[in-house]
Amino acid sequence: MEKSIQSKRKTTQPLLPLTAVVKENGAYNVFPSFHTNSNVLVGFETLANQIATQKIVVIDGFGGVLWENFRQHLNSALIEKKKNVLWYNIDSCLKSSEEINKMIEPNLNGDDPVFGKKYLGELSDFFEAENLKQLKADTSADICIVYGTGASLSNWEGQLLYVDVPKNEIQYRMRAGAVKNMGNSETLVYSQIYKRLYFIEWPVLNIHKERLLPKIDFIIDEQRIDEITWMKGNDFRNSLNLMLESPFRARPWFEAGIWGGDWMKNNITDLNQDEVNYAWSFELITPENGIVLEGNNNLLEVSFDFLLFQDNKKVLGKAADRFGNYFPIRFDYLDTFDGGNLSVQCHPRPEYIKENFGEAFTQDETYYILDCEEDAEVYLGFQDDINPDEFKQALIESQEKAEEIDIVKYVQKFKAKKHDLYLIPNGTIHASGKNNMVLEISSTPYIFTFKMYDWVRPGLDGKPRPINVEHGFKNVYFDRKGKRIEREFISKPSITKEFSNGRKVSLPTHEEHFYAVDRYEFTGEIEIETLGQCHICMLVEGDIGEVSAGKNNQKFKYAETFVIPANVPKYKINHLGSKKAFLVISYVKDNWC
């Protein structure tokens, strides 16, 4: 099985194991799961048992599923049961590649390697309505199965199976050339494949998935392509409901980068030590993270957004009216220990990201320094004497001549300090320097980085990294400079509450940040109220925190990100160690709801 899977994915990262991984010690768990009281079943044979008596079956699913492999396995299992099966591929009803390309052309921004504009249509736009009407089941067969992404658009009445696949696995498959974009006859370069995914396919597939959730009879995790896991639909929805009243973790995933470091490699022992470095951990970037359900020790992963589709108000509380099914805050790691500087960059202003890229809100960031070396620095804001024209000319000449510039002539840098919070609202020039382990606490959009200077270096693939000087100059604020930076863009902690075994510290964010950051410093046990907001949490000092909410109890380790849904009114955290613990929490400010 392993050889078959590896030929379809290009990565050094392991697949999610079939069975649960338990870490009783203080070690970070790269495969966290949420225990349910329902069964997670394994294999195509067990699934075939469930559908063998049906006349009509609809198998829908996310883009990136290896559909023909899935069909062959399930067909073999049904043949073993002496069933005559007629298969109908919903792709036969797609519009032509030429029609689809013309339809989405306004959203692609030409061959721009990164940026497009969000497509506002629906999955049905990609199909010929007349062809869907003409797709009829031949009921003389034992079973008729319509399958593929969008299969439920056939409107066949039958059992509904939904096949999900994690976003990281989709990208590994893209890199291996195993899957293409929806309705596209050619394999594009990776940057163009991903751009179509992000701006066009994922938005329409998410709308489709949300509509199907109440109707799903069986949910299937297809990432182990020869050994699926699955749950009954009612069990799945009940498990989501249980998560909505419990603390939980999303499944993180990890990527190398040209500036990446080795803090994660040295501190997260289950990571592949042969990887060149680790630049990012997608701790909680919900458009790309999954949640892993465990039943009878077996694991099934689905996309995080199923929780929001099930009940966004229980997830987000007061913030649901504004953010809907879009989880607003992300946690991720930027690791430059023994690595390199990030690119000098900025992020788009709100009106710019909305008009040009179709996003409802922008990429406002903060850097929380989880760890750093003595020489670590953060680049933030301009020098007081910045000359925008001179700066732009220097950036352009650097690109043209492939020569480095003295960036601190234009951009300030500050000594990085452990547990400090650096504020990076949209339009602020910034970068993390070498030898930092940054916990990036940010609003959720995550690809809108305008790299203005990148130290004249190629990517890990040896090709030039995209530089966005023009985008950057349309968004950067040149008045964020000089002494103003230290006053306004480096958070000034204040104690807001003291109690017998610790204190609550506010780390004020910028007025443009819609989220707050607090830190609880304590020994033993404390209780925290959510006050109608979802809390995103991390133990940034300490060993293990035992978190209890109602009847639910889970342990979270140092540097693990976990979520407390707004549906949980209060929770307790007991630090299972003798030294003082620091717990960082972020949530949406009430006045931004």
Side-chain angles (χ1 to χ4, degrees), residues 257-267 276-280 333-342 368-377 416-418 432-439 558:
I258 192 61
W259 42 264
D262 58 16
W263 191 98
M264 285 188 278
K265 189 183 286 191
N266 292 335
N267 288 274
V276 58
N277 63 51
Y278 288 101
W280 294 277
Y333 283 141
L334 309 173
D335 180 357
T336 63
F337 260 65
D338 293 323
N341 302 321
L342 269 67
Y368 186 95
I369 307 300
L370 183 77
D371 200 359
C372 62
E373 297 281 18
E374 281 294 318
D375 61 349
E377 295 170 321
K417 297 179 182 177
K418 190 173 180 180
S432 171
K434 180 180 177 179
N435 287 331
N436 279 316
M437 181 59 175
V438 172
L439 165 59
Y558 168 70

Side-chain angles (χ1 to χ4, degrees), residues 31 51 140 232 252 284 324 353 363 411 460 519 530 575 587:
F31 299 119
I51 66 173
S140 64
K232 292 181 179 179
L284 187 72
I353 199 171
Q363 190 166 323
V411 179
L460 288 178
R519 184 172 65 227
T530 59
H575 181 236
Y587 51 90

Side-chain angles (χ1 to χ4, degrees), residues 345-576:
Q345 56 191 247
C346 77
H347 305 297
R349 303 182 190 190
E351 63 276 9
Y352 195 87
I353 199 171
K354 185 174 183 179
E355 180 181 344
N356 290 276
F357 310 125
E359 292 283 352
F361 56 101
T362 194
Q363 190 166 323
D364 291 308
E365 298 184 341
T366 65
Y367 284 174
Y368 186 95
I369 307 300
L370 183 77
D371 200 359
C372 62
E373 297 281 18
E374 281 294 318
D375 61 349
E377 295 170 321
V378 172
Y379 295 82
L380 187 64
F382 288 109
Q383 298 288 0
D384 203 32
D385 61 352
I386 184 67
N387 181 315
D389 293 335
E390 181 184 333
F391 181 49
K392 187 173 186 179
Q393 188 61 34
L395 295 176
I396 292 171
E397 288 184 6
S398 173
Q399 278 185 272
E400 292 175 346
K401 298 177 181 179
E403 293 178 357
E404 291 193 30
I405 61 174
D406 181 11
I407 195 66
V408 295
K409 181 179 176 182
Y410 309 100
V411 179
Q412 295 190 75
K413 63 180 180 179
F414 298 87
K415 182 176 174 57
K417 297 179 182 177
K418 190 173 180 180
H419 298 302
D420 273 5
L421 184 70
Y422 298 83
L423 310 180
I424 311 166
N426 62 86
T428 306
I429 197 86
H430 68 282
S432 171
K434 180 180 177 179
N435 287 331
N436 279 316
M437 181 59 175
V438 172
L439 165 59
E440 191 173 44
I441 303 173
S442 304
S443 52
T444 295
Y446 57 103
I447 69 166
F448 300 96
T449 297
F450 300 145
K451 300 181 185 73
M452 300 169 74
Y453 178 65
D454 198 28
W455 315 93
V456 195
R457 61 190 173 189
L460 288 178
D461 58 3
K463 298 176 182 178
R465 302 217 308 157
I467 302 295
N468 314 111
V469 174
E470 292 302 323
H471 277 309
F473 268 74
K474 291 175 182 175
N475 287 274
V476 75
Y477 289 102
F478 283 99
D479 61 348
R480 293 178 179 174
K481 63 180 183 177
K483 295 187 181 302
R484 181 186 174 195
I485 299 303
E486 197 160 4
R487 287 197 311 269
E488 294 183 27
F489 295 84
I490 301 176
S491 186
K492 308 298 187 293
S494 63
I495 300 169
T496 56
K497 186 178 181 180
E498 293 192 79
F499 34 91
S500 60
N501 60 330
R503 63 185 188 176
K504 177 185 177 183
V505 178
S506 171
L507 304 178
T509 54
H510 194 273
E511 62 182 7
E512 291 196 35
H513 287 115
F514 63 68
Y515 54 91
V517 178
D518 294 333
R519 184 172 65 227
Y520 287 81
E521 303 172 359
F522 64 99
T523 56
E525 183 178 81
I526 58 171
E527 184 174 79
I528 302 170
E529 293 183 290
T530 59
L531 302 175
Q533 294 285 5
C534 181
H535 282 193
I536 302 92
C537 311
M538 180 184 291
L539 200 64
V540 297
E541 284 284 353
D543 301 312
I544 302 173
E546 187 172 35
V547 179
S548 56
K551 298 178 181 178
N552 299 293
N553 186 296
Q554 289 205 55
K555 292 177 182 177
F556 301 105
K557 322 294 176 49
Y558 168 70
E560 294 183 340
T561 302
F562 62 96
V563 177
I564 308 291
N567 188 45
V568 174
K570 59 186 177 182
Y571 56 102
K572 293 179 180 179
I573 178 165
N574 181 27
H575 181 236
L576 305 179

Side-chain angles (χ1 to χ4, degrees), residues 67-98:
W67 283 111
E68 289 311 306
N69 179 81
F70 185 92
R71 182 189 66 79
Q72 290 168 14
H73 279 294
L74 187 54
N75 190 56
S76 296
L78 289 167
I79 289 173
E80 287 288 321
K81 300 182 181 306
K82 313 289 191 222
K83 296 295 179 181
N84 171 32
V85 186
L86 287 180
W87 291 85
Y88 300 77
N89 189 340
I90 199 66
D91 283 0
S92 64
C93 299
L94 282 166
K95 293 177 178 176
S96 68
S97 289
E98 293 74 22

Side-chain angles (χ1 to χ4, degrees), residues 107-148:
N107 300 86
L108 291 177
N109 196 20
D111 59 358
D112 186 302
V114 180
F115 302 117
K117 189 170 185 177
K118 187 169 288 185
Y119 182 75
L120 299 179
E122 300 195 1
L123 183 58
S124 58
D125 299 344
F126 291 76
F127 289 83
E128 292 284 4
E130 192 57 37
N131 290 355
L132 290 171
K133 287 180 185 177
Q134 293 177 7
L135 193 68
K136 305 293 184 185
D138 181 353
T139 53
S140 64
D142 294 333
I143 312 173
C144 290
I145 301 178
V146 58
Y147 72 101

